[in-house]
Amino acid sequence: MLGIKQADAGMPDTGIYFQWGDFLIQFGNLVVIATMVVLFILALVIPFPHGKTRK
Amino acid sequence: MTADRGPVSAAEDGEARFSTWTGKTRGWALRRLPPDKLLPEGQPSYVSSWIYVFGMGAVAAFVYILGSGAVLALNGPTWFHVSGLGRFINSTHLWSVELFFMFMVIHLWGKFWMAAWRGGRALTWITGMLAFVVSIVTAFTGYLLQTNFDSQWIAFQAKDALNAVGVGAWFNVADLGQILMWHITLLPLAVAVVVALHVVLVRMHGVVPPLEAATSDAQLRSAAPIPAVDGEDMK
């Protein structure tokens, strides 16, 4: 229209969405939630390095 | 007020007793949070697990948020639109917030599944939840300060909700100056105070042991016994 691209005008990208029935989630939010779940599981199963002797 | 009475008198058990309000406050604080509990040399063996690092990870992210936020605030709310360095600082400010919330949520999951409110730690749990809620409000005001169409869209969606609950006149999301002040002064201060209180409470009560731990609380049992009546020294 005025030669201004959407990104230049600060317009947010519409993004990628996934929908299962009534459940709708944006791709970025899904990545954040999945990352947290993975980190939580890894924190439970990966052994903690033992540096100094603890009481 | 008695002039002939010294500020400190010897107690029956030889422990220093206090008569002034400052001395009594010091005595109360030292008994509830002695230096070896405030800044411990070690932690119980059950703390040697990655699930225990996310709370301090959130604190580390919060420290970076405060530092990058100070740089952004000192340069004004539009600086990051016109400066390469500003855009970088603004991006790291956002990503440290993402890390702050991710670490805080994992910390919340870990503490929920080990019922971390056990052993008189209810106030620790409550301050943690309070820190989460105040942080959400702080992050919300940050999204309003992007000064782009995204922040405009968020503001004009949020104003309807805030007007519906009757606070829109005092917390006006369409007022950039007001939201800027909330975001760089009151709300970060509130998060910092609640997080500091949360950490102090963790130091006072010790890190919560796992549910399967045989001992109920090794750290507390090894520390000096706390008198049954908290206000004993205030008499």
Side-chain angles (χ1 to χ4, degrees):
Chain A
M1 295 198 302
L2 296 174
I4 300 173
K5 289 190 295 186
Q6 189 182 34
D8 293 338
M11 293 287 282
D13 191 357
T14 51
I16 302 168
Y17 287 83
F18 298 106
Q19 184 165 17
W20 295 274
D22 292 334
F23 183 74
L24 177 69
I25 190 166
Q26 198 259 340
F27 177 63
N29 291 334
L30 184 64
V31 168
V32 168
I33 293 169
T35 304
M36 288 192 299
V37 171
V38 169
L39 280 177
F40 181 71
I41 294 170
L42 290 178
L44 295 178
V45 298
I46 292 180
F48 194 80
H50 291 271
K52 293 172 63 178
T53 306
R54 291 173 181 270
K55 63 180 182 182
Chain B
M1 187 174 171
T2 55
D4 58 339
R5 196 173 166 195
V8 178
S9 61
E12 292 176 0
D13 58 358
E15 185 185 345
R17 305 295 290 181
F18 306 99
S19 57
T20 61
W21 72 268
T22 49
K24 289 173 182 174
T25 304
R26 179 155 61 99
W28 178 84
L30 283 173
R31 218 173 27 260
R32 295 302 296 265
L33 191 59
D36 60 331
K37 287 176 74 176
L38 178 64
L39 297 169
E41 178 71 11
Q43 290 288 344
S45 58
Y46 55 75
V47 179
S48 296
S49 166
W50 286 109
I51 198 64
Y52 281 97
V53 307
F54 290 100
M56 196 46 70
V59 171
F62 181 58
V63 169
Y64 185 83
I65 291 168
L66 291 177
S68 57
V71 174
L72 290 170
L74 290 171
N75 284 283
T78 57
W79 170 63
F80 64 89
H81 287 302
V82 294
S83 161
L85 177 63
R87 183 170 294 195
F88 174 75
I89 297 292
N90 186 62
S91 297
T92 58
H93 187 65
L94 169 69
W95 281 106
S96 54
V97 171
E98 298 279 355
L99 285 176
F100 176 64
F101 274 97
M102 288 172 74
F103 289 158
M104 194 158 47
V105 168
I106 297 170
H107 178 63
L108 169 64
W109 289 346
K111 296 305 165 186
F112 176 79
W113 291 112
M114 66 175 71
W117 48 84
R118 289 173 292 135
R121 295 179 177 84
L123 193 57
T124 313
W125 175 264
I126 291 168
T127 52
M129 294 306 298
L130 199 58
F132 189 43
V133 171
V134 177
S135 297
I136 289 173
V137 179
T138 310
F140 167 64
T141 56
Y143 280 111
L144 294 172
L145 291 175
Q146 296 174 94
T147 49
N148 58 16
F149 284 119
D150 199 6
S151 58
Q152 189 182 54
W153 171 261
I154 295 168
F156 278 75
Q157 295 297 312
K159 72 174 175 54
D160 292 338
L162 293 164
N163 286 337
V165 296
V167 299
W170 297 277
F171 189 77
N172 183 4
V173 290
D175 185 339
L176 183 71
Q178 187 194 25
I179 296 304
L180 180 64
M181 288 299 109
W182 274 96
H183 186 73
I184 68 174
T185 57
L186 290 179
L187 289 170
L189 186 63
V191 175
V193 168
V194 174
V195 168
L197 181 59
H198 183 71
V199 172
V200 166
L201 284 166
V202 172
R203 295 298 196 203
M204 285 175 68
H205 296 289
V207 179
V208 68
L211 282 167
E212 63 272 18
T215 55
S216 61
D217 197 331
Q219 193 177 48
L220 270 186
R221 286 196 300 117
S222 62
I226 297 173
V229 181
D230 289 339
E232 189 184 14
D233 61 326
M234 306 298 268
K235 290 175 184 173

